Amino acid sequence: MSTDKKNANGQAPKHALQSQPPPPRPSRRWYWKLLATAICLSFVAYHVTTQPEHVSPQTYALCSKEGQRIYTVDENNTSVECIVVHGARIADSGDLKYVLERAENTTGLSSIPVRYAPKGSIVLPGLSDSHCHILEYGASRQIPLSEGKTMKETVTFVREYIKANPDIEGDKSRFIEGWGWDHASWDVEEMPSSEDLEADSAIAGRPVILQSRDGHAIWVSKRTLEHNAPYPDTVEGGVIMRDEVGNPTGVFVDSAQDLITRPVLSTEDLERRFRRTVQDAHAVGLVSLHDAGLKPESLAFFKRQSEKGPLPLRIYGMTYFDEYGSYWGDSVSPFAGAADERLSARSVKIFADGALRTGGAALWEPYSDNPSTNGVMRISAEVLNKVIPRFLKDGWQVNVHAIGDRANAIVLDAFEHALKGVNVSALRPRLEHAQILTKSDMVRLGKLGVIASIQPTHVISDMWYAQDRLGPERVKELYAFRGILDSGARITLGSDFPVDEINPLKGFYAAITRVSTDGTSPHGPNGWFPDQRLTRLEALRGMTIDPAYASFTEQSLGSLIPGKRADYVILSQDIMSVALDKIMDTKVLATALDGHVVYGRL
Ligand SMILES: *[C@@H]1O[C@H](CO)[C@@H](O)[C@H](O)[C@H]1NC(C)=O
Ligand SMILES: *[C@@H]1O[C@H](CO)[C@@H](O)[C@H](O)[C@H]1NC(C)=O
Ligand SMILES: *[C@@H]1O[C@H](CO)[C@@H](O)[C@H](O)[C@H]1NC(C)=O
Ligand SMILES: *[C@@H]1O[C@H](CO)[C@@H](O)[C@H](O)[C@H]1NC(C)=O
């Protein structure tokens, strides 16, 4: 019935492990314990919201000397010469003369300093990523596994990490976790094994867990393998890789990953990961991140951090729902806007199917290059129909990972049912990925008012193999962004980092060109299915005001209009007009959150 089950004897799934979602699933052994912690900590959130707003004393006008180069992304897509920042918010906007005349009225100060954006630059609202994995990204940057060109080199990176961290080197019991290996990009495409890690003297004997780039598999060391033994013969929805005589080799695919107990991370580990993500996010202009699979321990960590001081960016969390666990929507309270609108956890993330590259996306018809399967539903229609209305009723936004046309249809059925007679703009359900939709489901998406949360960089990652997988007709329904918009549906853009790159400019570029960064595509330099390109304005809105709407924050975030928070980014050149092949040369000159520059300078 399912590819995964078929492969439960230990054969690699046909298109094993390349780019694409879901994030690793938290070990269920820890899940409930940590959920309990999260429940306790949710009381803390109420406390945090009652603290006074973090107000910057500063007031200034931010202006362009070259005319209206501040893109406000208001409802009329207006550009202005200046915005006035007063404390954490925007007090006014317009021409320099106009805002200075009004300064006393808008800020209470008779004169305000004027800061100019550098020559050639533009100002945009601070950018958002609507679908990403915050701490997992930080983990992925610690050991550069994704850069390994061979299995040996990948192992060497683990060795170097140990050598570079004396505290870890000196303590053989310390867990080593990495993310990002991709055997499909090695010189020889073969599955690694625990022996490959054991062969390195610096690694031998240590507990190691290395997550694959797409999050669909883990590669563990001998010690970890032994520690978690014995193993069942088969696992539903997963694969235990085995050698010729049937012994596990140290690679666990999909739900078999849950057989390996994850270490409980120390606060220092989590802080190190978070710092890294924050640093990289600010450097690419991101201020607002929708975490698409918040684990209870991650949420608890973010809450602890926000008590120490303002979080360095805005986190909008989708709490992971375990389809094998029980319903928790009535025992945990959703919360929004805590800690100066920097922390919210008011949505739930449900997985409907797997990923296209690995053959896990649930399709109506079999895969064109593997007719023995049409993918796997991770959750039944029955469970979806049961939990979606409950979560909505209990105040949760429901965001469902759906990639294949069958998965999207089944989820839309459930939404259609759950949304009967209710106000959809009060609930704003989302399809995460919404990759392959039949024409009629696109129409349904628009009619229902369900938001399509899409990842343009996946287009240029996947366009090279997609037609093999789907065939010449069905492939037209993959990443059909124009079709989705024409159906009247709302979109919101993300990258799925660390699955794809964190840089939102790459998503902007991919959305409007549908060519890779070297200017090529399977359909030539004009783009892969160029009719499906977004306009620059659509892409800009998809990274600013649309994510604000998709996270219920359009009243305070996502555009540079008076009353909203002063989150902005200054780019070195005008991405709204520069030649397409120059877009990727754009530099982020400054990123500001609540009026404070957190990266670069002004
Ligand atoms: C947008 O344009 C319309 C028509 O000119 C105008 O009525 C409306 O006030 C404008 N909205 C904003 C926010 O400026
Ligand atoms: C602003 O831009 C978006 C995206 O192109 C467009 O749909 C919308 O109609 C524009 N708004 C106005 C008032 O022109
Ligand atoms: C400032 O506000 C006062 C009182 O509302 C008003 O009379 C005056 O015209 C305003 N000044 C400017 C420059 O808008
Ligand atoms: C639907 O919900 C939105 C957002 O909460 C609200 O602004 C709107 O007034 C509601 N519409 C109706 C008909 O209740």
Side-chain angles (χ1 to χ4, degrees):
M1 218 184 69
S2 76
T3 355
D4 289 336
K5 264 195 207 155
K6 224 170 242 138
N7 287 326
N9 58 5
Q11 283 163 12
K14 187 149 184 252
H15 317 292
L17 310 173
Q18 298 156 23
S19 157
Q20 282 293 343
R25 304 153 54 134
S27 162
R28 269 177 226 130
R29 287 174 220 181
W30 290 104
Y31 189 78
W32 291 107
K33 206 163 155 192
L34 291 161
L35 188 57
T37 316
I39 296 165
C40 297
L41 282 160
S42 67
F43 293 109
V44 174
Y46 291 114
H47 174 66
V48 171
T49 44
T50 60
Q51 285 176 355
E53 195 167 279
H54 170 73
V55 175
S56 147
Q58 56 188 335
T59 299
Y60 57 92
L62 169 61
C63 300
S64 168
K65 274 188 178 156
E66 298 153 299
Q68 299 172 336
R69 290 173 71 94
I70 299 178
Y71 291 86
T72 66
V73 196
D74 67 1
E75 61 168 321
N76 292 334
N77 305 308
T78 316
S79 298
V80 297
E81 188 179 332
C82 297
I83 53 173
V84 174
V85 175
H86 180 51
R89 293 184 186 266
I90 296 165
D92 202 6
S93 68
D95 292 347
L96 178 61
K97 189 163 166 289
Y98 174 80
V99 299
L100 290 183
E101 269 173 19
R102 287 158 43 101
E104 182 136 27
N105 278 10
T106 57
T107 68
L109 300 170
S110 53
S111 83
I112 58 174
V114 179
R115 299 187 187 175
Y116 288 99
K119 194 167 182 310
S121 69
I122 61 164
V123 181
L124 300 176
L127 303 178
S128 294
D129 192 312
S130 302
H131 187 112
C132 59
H133 303 281
I134 297 173
L135 295 175
E136 290 77 4
Y137 174 87
S140 79
R141 302 306 297 165
Q142 277 165 16
I143 312 178
L145 297 175
S146 60
E147 289 162 30
K149 292 184 191 60
T150 64
M151 188 270 291
K152 280 234 152 57
E153 188 182 24
T154 309
V155 172
T156 306
F157 291 144
V158 180
R159 174 194 184 84
E160 284 167 1
Y161 172 73
I162 294 169
K163 295 282 181 194
N165 290 280
D167 55 327
I168 295 170
E169 190 180 15
D171 180 357
K172 277 211 152 187
S173 69
R174 277 284 288 278
F175 247 102
I176 295 160
E177 271 198 301
W179 179 314
W181 60 274
D182 181 6
H183 73 302
S185 68
W186 293 345
D187 57 343
V188 184
E189 186 177 334
E190 59 180 357
M191 276 290 170
S193 74
S194 53
E195 290 304 330
D196 296 324
L197 293 168
E198 197 64 14
D200 188 299
S201 60
I203 307 172
R206 294 174 186 273
V208 182
I209 299 179
L210 305 176
Q211 185 81 50
S212 66
R213 184 181 155 200
D214 66 358
H216 279 275
I218 49 174
W219 167 21
V220 306
S221 65
K222 197 157 172 246
R223 178 160 168 189
T224 301
L225 189 63
E226 283 164 1
H227 178 76
N228 289 280
Y231 297 97
D233 291 342
T234 57
V235 179
E236 186 169 341
V239 181
I240 302 168
M241 298 298 228
R242 296 177 190 276
D243 62 19
E244 319 75 69
V245 295
N247 292 321
T249 57
V251 173
F252 297 82
V253 182
D254 284 328
S255 65
Q257 297 177 89
D258 293 350
L259 297 169
I260 303 296
T261 309
R262 303 292 183 121
V264 178
L265 296 172
S266 68
T267 300
E268 290 74 39
D269 287 329
L270 293 167
E271 278 175 350
R272 202 180 297 164
R273 291 178 181 193
F274 188 42
R275 267 200 308 275
R276 182 59 202 248
T277 305
V278 167
Q279 186 188 327
D280 288 9
H282 286 166
V284 294
L286 289 169
V287 296
S288 190
L289 304 177
H290 299 190
D291 194 303
L294 205 54
K295 298 178 203 163
E297 68 268 33
S298 305
L299 178 57
F301 167 74
F302 292 138
K303 284 181 174 170
R304 288 199 303 276
Q305 293 299 106
S306 72
E307 284 161 53
K308 291 186 196 164
L311 288 172
L313 38 72
R314 305 191 193 283
I315 297 173
Y316 182 78
M318 310 176 204
T319 304
Y320 175 75
F321 174 69
D322 182 346
E323 60 273 20
Y324 299 102
S326 48
Y327 181 78
W328 47 257
D330 50 358
S331 53
V332 183
S333 294
F335 71 92
D340 284 356
E341 296 189 73
R342 296 194 186 187
L343 186 61
S344 297
R346 63 160 299 175
S347 62
V348 56
K349 169 76 174 293
I350 301 173
F351 281 95
D353 65 345
L356 180 64
R357 202 184 281 236
T358 44
L363 303 173
W364 287 117
E365 301 296 329
Y367 279 81
S368 300
D369 56 354
N370 185 2
S372 70
T373 176
N374 47 8
V376 192
M377 280 300 288
R378 263 175 73 160
I379 192 167
S380 66
E382 197 188 354
V383 176
L384 282 172
N385 281 320
K386 209 171 346 176
V387 300
I388 289 179
R390 284 189 77 183
F391 273 118
L392 291 172
K393 187 174 144 286
D394 285 326
W396 295 87
Q397 181 191 37
V398 175
N399 303 353
V400 188
H401 164 116
I403 300 223
D405 50 11
R406 183 161 52 107
N408 277 290
I410 292 172
V411 176
L412 283 173
D413 287 345
F415 276 145
E416 194 164 16
H417 183 246
L419 293 171
K420 277 220 172 78
V422 302
N423 180 353
V424 69
S425 55
L427 303 174
R428 305 184 193 182
R430 296 168 46 165
L431 278 179
E432 298 302 318
H433 307 302
Q435 281 183 14
I436 312 164
L437 282 102
T438 62
K439 294 260 153 48
S440 59
D441 279 338
M442 282 183 206
V443 171
R444 208 146 60 112
L445 186 72
K447 255 197 203 133
L448 289 173
V450 171
I451 301 165
S453 168
I454 54 179
Q455 296 76 39
T457 35
H458 288 353
V459 177
I460 62 174
S461 297
D462 295 353
M463 63 186 175
W464 301 101
Y465 74 84
Q467 188 162 330
D468 290 349
R469 214 56 105 248
L470 297 172
E473 280 310 309
R474 202 168 32 175
V475 73
K476 295 177 187 160
E477 299 175 341
L478 172 69
Y479 301 126
F481 298 160
R482 177 59 47 202
I484 288 174
L485 279 176
D486 285 350
S487 77
R490 287 174 178 271
I491 55 168
T492 189
L493 305 185
S495 71
D496 207 1
F497 70 70
V499 174
D500 248 314
E501 277 175 52
I502 192 170
N503 186 359
L505 274 176
K506 190 167 173 190
F508 179 83
Y509 169 86
I512 67 173
T513 65
R514 296 175 74 102
V515 296
S516 55
T517 50
D518 64 7
T520 60
S521 90
H523 295 168
N526 203 28
W528 186 68
F529 293 112
D531 291 351
Q532 300 292 341
R533 287 178 302 207
L534 298 183
T535 65
R536 296 190 202 219
L537 253 179
E538 286 164 346
L540 175 62
R541 296 182 72 88
M543 305 186 318
T544 52
I545 192 68
D546 295 336
Y549 179 83
S551 59
F552 302 88
T553 50
E554 77 279 10
Q555 298 301 328
S556 61
L557 306 176
S559 62
L560 298 173
I561 65 175
K564 288 200 181 184
R565 290 189 174 272
D567 292 357
Y568 61 83
V569 55
I570 304 179
L571 301 182
S572 63
Q573 57 176 356
D574 187 357
I575 59 167
M576 303 306 283
S577 64
V578 75
L580 294 174
D581 62 354
K582 297 285 183 294
I583 287 175
M584 293 307 295
D585 301 337
T586 309
K587 302 275 175 293
V588 173
L589 303 179
T591 304
L593 185 66
D594 281 339
H596 284 284
V597 173
V598 291
Y599 170 82
R601 46 199 289 258
L602 175 55

